[in-house]
């Protein structure tokens, strides 16, 4: 990637700086989009060594795309950061605990086995509770006291048949995502419940593999290339028989419908980039599909309202990358009391594998700000169409001793349909 071209496109207007997630508490030029671009250009021109300090700076970016949203030229700073992380991975390698996680995410059968062992032995390392499990001690990827989602006895895909016929004339493919498949199964089940009510057939596409977002953000481009090509080929075949491929995960949807094309262009696989771009318009977040292509909203309006106050967090990969934000809100407002938090568009602080493992304290600082917004809204439930946000926000709420809980908008919609 031509980092110099990226830097020269920046007119130094500074609009990105107040919105930058890391700059909000680092407060220096280095830790800002404008600073990132200048450092990347210096690295490209040979004036900056890619040492451990540069590595730390480039890994500190949350990839929230706030800067891209406000930039007059919409410079894709996130893509530039993702590209340099490949160089970081080549020079420094990827830590063993991250390589282990990425290994399992690349191999579904191995992850199925690991998840079964995790379910059996999770009480040894974690204290189980209704909202998940809290670590009893610290490991490289897990900090003591941290709340994580608990393992399920059986993954979502292994619980269901390949094709679910609901008596409908049209069918959708379902890309479940790793977190919803193994941990937040209730989100995935909610999609099936909604589809059944609407008489839409669902192809679970059991040949799907991880979207590759964790590998992309960590610099493991070799694994991502394998996963991306498998998914593109598989989706091309599936789209011959399904109307859309829907997912309950903003990160997965953004990776598959936006970033795959960027990735293939980055590695100079132009034909694959064209193939990814061709299928992209058919890969959608579940709420977008149900809002735009079904009578779900009208159906919900017949179900009455529940006296439960909700607020909504906009996942970075939903609103900023895909323009999805009104759809889940319209659904939730149909059956629940709704209030906006002070800044729903602010990043929750998940940031990816490296951020969660190596810079956990930074994620907590951002998470606490989001937890405070939720508390100040007075809502009992916070919702977002993203399991990564769910993991981050649930932990922040727990650490902050907040009373609010997290639920997917799809779960709340499915609950409303039962009334």
């Amino acid at each position: 990637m031509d980092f110099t071209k990226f830097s020269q496109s920046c007119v130094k207007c500074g609009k990105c700086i107040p919105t930058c997630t890391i700059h909000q508490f680092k407060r220096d030029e280095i830790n800002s989009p404008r600073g990132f671009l200048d450092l990347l250009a210096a690295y490209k021109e040979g004036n900056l060594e890619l040492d451990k300090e540069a590595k730390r700076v480039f890994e500190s970016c949350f990839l929230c795309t706030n800067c891209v949203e406000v930039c007059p030229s919409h410079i894709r700073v996130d893509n530039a950061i993702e590209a340099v992380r490949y160089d970081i991975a080549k020079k420094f390698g990827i830590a063993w605990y991250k390589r282990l996680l990425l290994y399992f995410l690349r191999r579904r059968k191995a992850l199925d086995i690991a998840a079964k062992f995790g379910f059996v032995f999770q009480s040894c390392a974690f204290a189980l509770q209704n909202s998940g499990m809290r670590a009893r001690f610290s490991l490289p990827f897990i900090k003591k006291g941290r709340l994580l989602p608990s393992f399920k006895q059986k993954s979502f895909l292994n619980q269901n048949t390949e094709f679910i016929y609901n008596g409908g004339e049209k069918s959708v493919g379902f890309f479940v995502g790793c977190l919803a498949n193994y941990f937040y199964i209730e989100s995935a089940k909610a999609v099936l419940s909604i589809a059944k009510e609407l008489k839409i057939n669902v192809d679970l596409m059991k040949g799907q593999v991880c979207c590759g977002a964790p590998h992309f953000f960590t610099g493991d481009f070799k694994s991502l290339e394998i996963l991306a090509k498998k998914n593109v080929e598989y989706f091309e075949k599936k789209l011959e028989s399904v109307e859309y491929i829907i997912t309950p995960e903003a990160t997965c949807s953004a990776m598959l419908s936006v970033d795959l094309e960027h990735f293939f262009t980055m590695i100079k696989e132009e034909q694959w980039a064209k193939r990814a771009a061709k299928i992209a318009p058919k890969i959608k977040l579940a709420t977008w599909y149900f809002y735009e292509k079904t009578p779900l909203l009208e159906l919900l309006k017949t179900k009455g309202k529940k006296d439960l106050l909700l607020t909504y967090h906009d996942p970075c990969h939903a609103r900023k990358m895909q323009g999805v934000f009104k759809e889940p809100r319209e659904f939730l407002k149909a059956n629940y009391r709704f209030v906006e938090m002070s800044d729903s568009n602010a990043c929750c602080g998940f940031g990816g594998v490296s951020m969660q493992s190596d810079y956990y304290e930074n994620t907590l600082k951002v998470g606490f700000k989001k937890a405070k917004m939720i508390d100040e809204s007075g809502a009992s439930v916070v919702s977002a169409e993203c399991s990564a946000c769910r993991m981050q926000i649930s932990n922040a709420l727990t650490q902050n001793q907040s009373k609010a809980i997290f639920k997917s908008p799809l779960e709340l919609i499915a609950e409303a349909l039962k009334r």
Side-chain angles (χ1 to χ4, degrees):
M1 181 171 285
D2 189 349
F3 297 127
T4 304
K5 183 179 178 181
F6 269 68
S7 181
Q8 289 174 346
S9 299
C10 176
V11 297
K12 316 302 182 193
C13 68
K15 287 185 177 181
C16 59
I17 293 178
T19 71
C20 177
T21 302
I22 185 67
H23 183 78
Q24 288 174 12
F25 59 90
K26 286 291 186 179
R27 298 294 181 186
D28 58 47
E29 183 73 9
I30 291 175
N31 291 281
S32 73
R34 191 167 65 182
F36 290 150
L37 291 176
D38 284 346
L39 290 174
L40 287 167
Y43 162 60
K44 177 69 174 181
E45 293 163 0
N47 297 321
L48 175 71
E49 181 185 354
L50 192 60
D51 57 13
K52 289 185 178 180
E53 178 60 19
K55 173 181 180 291
R56 183 197 62 76
V57 170
F58 293 137
E59 286 182 341
S60 72
C61 175
F62 283 87
L63 298 174
C64 65
T65 69
N66 283 351
C67 55
V68 182
E69 184 181 42
V70 300
C71 176
S73 302
H74 298 292
I75 300 171
R76 290 299 303 264
V77 180
D78 58 321
N79 284 164
I81 294 290
E82 287 151 357
V84 79
R85 286 185 181 178
Y86 172 66
D87 291 354
I88 290 171
K90 282 197 301 181
K91 181 171 182 177
F92 295 97
I94 299 173
W96 67 267
Y97 48 91
K98 288 189 275 188
R99 281 191 285 110
L100 183 63
L101 176 62
L102 297 175
Y103 170 88
F104 281 116
L105 290 175
R106 181 176 155 184
R107 295 165 174 83
R108 175 62 54 76
K109 290 183 179 179
L111 189 52
D112 282 345
I113 295 170
K116 287 180 181 178
F117 276 100
F119 174 77
V120 173
F121 295 108
Q122 59 188 339
S123 60
C124 298
F126 301 92
L128 302 181
Q129 54 190 68
N130 290 336
S131 56
M133 56 186 187
R134 298 188 72 170
R136 298 181 189 273
F137 46 81
S138 293
L139 293 170
F141 192 72
I142 302 166
K143 309 305 178 186
K144 184 178 179 180
R146 177 179 184 169
L147 181 73
L148 291 169
S150 55
F151 287 97
K152 300 298 186 287
Q153 188 170 10
K154 204 172 186 180
S155 74
F156 170 78
L157 287 177
N158 288 334
Q159 288 180 20
N160 295 280
T161 57
E162 175 102 24
F163 188 82
I164 298 173
Y165 179 68
N166 289 320
E169 295 181 357
K170 57 184 179 181
S171 302
V172 294
F174 186 32
F175 187 90
V176 63
C178 298
L179 284 173
N181 187 37
Y182 293 101
F183 299 104
Y184 299 119
I185 291 178
E186 53 270 33
S187 297
K189 287 182 176 178
V191 173
L192 297 189
S193 296
I194 296 167
K196 184 177 181 179
E197 193 73 24
L198 295 170
K199 293 183 170 53
I200 298 171
N201 310 318
V202 183
D203 187 337
L204 295 188
M205 307 195 312
K206 291 195 175 185
Q208 64 183 267
V209 293
C210 176
C211 71
H215 307 80
F216 192 31
F217 303 154
T218 313
D220 184 7
F221 283 14
K222 181 178 179 181
S223 293
L224 173 56
E225 185 177 358
I226 293 169
L227 293 169
K229 288 180 176 179
K230 282 184 178 179
N231 274 330
V232 169
E233 286 184 330
Y234 189 57
F235 293 169
E236 286 173 337
K237 292 177 182 177
K238 285 295 180 180
L239 283 168
E240 294 174 3
S241 58
V242 300
E243 184 184 26
Y244 283 88
I245 294 171
I246 64 173
T247 175
E249 305 291 1
T251 300
C252 296
S253 181
M255 185 70 216
L256 296 170
S257 66
V258 180
D259 277 331
L260 280 194
E261 181 186 359
H262 292 309
F263 167 69
F264 283 127
T265 301
M266 197 182 295
I267 64 170
K268 295 181 171 54
E269 289 273 11
E270 295 299 333
Q271 288 303 312
W272 282 99
K274 290 178 182 177
R275 291 171 70 174
K278 187 175 181 179
I279 63 173
K282 290 293 184 177
I283 302 171
K284 297 292 184 180
L285 272 168
T287 57
W288 181 94
Y289 173 77
F290 289 133
Y291 184 85
E292 294 289 345
K293 301 297 178 180
T294 77
L296 177 59
L297 184 58
E298 288 72 21
L299 179 59
L300 287 172
K301 289 178 179 178
T302 68
K303 299 295 181 177
K305 283 203 173 188
K306 185 177 180 181
D307 188 26
L308 180 66
L309 186 61
L310 311 180
T311 190
Y312 196 80
H313 160 72
D314 286 300
C316 296
H317 289 97
R319 181 166 189 154
K320 289 183 276 286
M321 290 187 69
Q322 300 175 83
V324 176
F325 59 95
K326 69 175 183 180
E327 297 86 351
R329 282 175 170 80
E330 289 299 307
F331 285 137
L332 296 178
K333 288 176 182 178
N335 304 104
Y336 302 93
R337 293 193 298 130
F338 188 88
V339 61
E340 290 286 359
M341 67 179 78
S342 57
D343 189 358
S344 64
N345 201 31
C347 177
C348 70
F350 183 79
V353 174
S354 291
M355 193 66 71
Q356 289 288 314
S357 57
D358 300 338
Y359 306 96
Y360 176 64
E361 293 305 317
N362 287 350
T363 72
L364 267 187
K365 289 177 183 177
V366 181
F368 282 145
K369 289 182 67 175
K370 181 61 66 170
K372 184 180 179 182
M373 293 179 201
I374 296 165
D375 288 345
E376 290 174 346
S377 75
S380 300
V381 176
V382 58
S383 191
E385 199 170 4
C386 177
S387 290
C389 293
R390 183 177 196 157
M391 182 188 295
Q392 168 70 1
I393 292 174
S394 295
N395 181 53
L397 290 171
T398 299
Q399 304 302 329
N400 198 50
Q401 298 183 336
S402 302
K403 293 181 179 179
I405 63 170
F406 191 110
K407 281 195 174 185
S408 162
L410 298 159
E411 293 173 62
L412 293 163
I413 293 167
E415 288 174 12
L417 287 172
K418 291 177 184 177
R419 293 201 294 272

